[in-house]
Amino acid sequence: MLVAGFPSDVFGTNCYVVAPGPGEECVVIDPGIGVVDRLDDLLAEHRLRPVAVLLTHGHLDHTFSVTPVCGAKGVPAYLHSDDRYMLEDPGKALSSMDVNKLLGGLPWSEPDEVAELADGQLLKIAGLEIAVDHAPGHTGGSVMFRSQSADEPVCFSGDVLFAGSIGRTDLPGGSMEQMWASLREKVLPLDDATVVLPGHGPATTIGRERATNPYLRDAGLSAPKRGF
């Protein structure tokens, strides 16, 4: 399986492409601010043909380029239903001043085709099998994408889990209570060998985070006791 990516120049949001191999169809994950040219170069380098854009959540730093990418390639975007409102109007999750500054005065438009994701869904797309885990907390519709096609398991964690930290929960739609539940129920059960490719920052593994991430430690300690 081919996984390649790069951080955007604004907010360092990681944009990824995933494909069975070079010269194949692929999916694009989280095309953020100002990534179109670099993404096109990456696709050309590996001779990839996008068939979908997958969004880990609705914040503008992860969705900014979704419409030009989908429009140029003629492909749909996928987003959890609970964050659908952010794709219609990104200002609902940020202040109008922030949105106007990020958009540079340009009008916002959503992609022509948007498919809504659901917890437990298995996407069979571009020759890949990608599981969808609804993991709210950073936003109500945050999801993680797990590859079922790699020799080693891979999790695209969006802004749920970072190396050494987690996503903030103080923006509209965020909830620390939901984040604790997502860490306990969606993250901690993953195999230690799972490679985590987050929405910001470097790659890590579940095993490393289980041992060193204070949020995962606290989530584990707060898990309900089983048995007597």
Side-chain angles (χ1 to χ4, degrees):
M1 188 175 76
L2 186 156
V3 179
F6 58 89
S8 69
D9 291 334
V10 182
F11 298 119
T13 306
N14 291 322
C15 176
Y16 300 102
V17 296
V18 189
E24 302 281 354
E25 293 182 336
C26 73
V27 297
V28 177
I29 299 177
D30 286 356
I33 299 173
V35 303
V36 172
D37 290 342
R38 292 176 68 187
L39 177 59
D40 283 343
D41 290 343
L42 186 62
L43 295 172
E45 176 186 353
H46 296 288
R47 298 173 287 110
L48 300 174
R49 303 182 302 279
V51 296
V53 174
L54 308 184
L55 302 172
T56 60
H57 62 290
H59 282 159
L60 196 58
D61 61 318
H62 292 252
T63 67
F64 186 92
S65 297
V66 62
T67 297
V69 171
C70 287
K73 313 301 181 185
V75 302
Y78 287 75
L79 177 71
H80 191 273
S81 57
D82 286 351
D83 275 10
R84 183 70 173 80
Y85 71 97
M86 296 188 205
L87 208 54
E88 297 168 352
D89 180 3
K92 291 181 178 179
L94 297 169
S95 72
S96 59
M97 182 180 297
D98 289 336
V99 171
N100 290 334
K101 182 177 180 180
L102 291 172
L103 291 176
L106 297 174
W108 171 259
S109 63
E110 59 182 306
D112 290 335
E113 183 179 356
V114 180
E116 295 186 350
L117 299 167
D119 187 37
Q121 185 174 358
L122 183 63
L123 297 174
K124 295 184 178 182
I125 191 168
L128 305 164
E129 291 189 353
I130 300 174
V132 179
D133 292 325
H134 183 210
H138 180 62
T139 68
S142 289
V143 302
M144 303 189 301
F145 297 112
R146 290 183 294 110
S147 169
Q148 303 294 295
S149 306
D151 293 334
E152 56 185 3
V154 176
C155 175
F156 298 90
S157 63
D159 285 5
V160 177
L161 179 68
F162 304 136
S165 190
I166 59 172
R168 60 189 295 181
T169 61
D170 60 333
L171 294 172
S175 165
M176 196 64 216
E177 182 178 358
Q178 288 185 325
M179 179 65 85
W180 287 128
S182 292
L183 295 176
R184 287 194 303 268
E185 298 167 11
K186 303 295 185 178
V187 175
L188 283 173
L190 297 178
D191 189 275
D192 281 354
T194 301
V195 175
V196 177
L197 299 176
H200 302 267
T204 184
T205 66
I206 290 295
R208 183 179 302 139
E209 296 311 299
R210 196 189 308 278
T212 63
N213 190 317
Y215 294 96
L216 283 193
R217 180 197 63 215
D218 291 348
L221 290 174
S222 64
K225 298 289 189 300
R226 295 184 178 181
F228 295 98

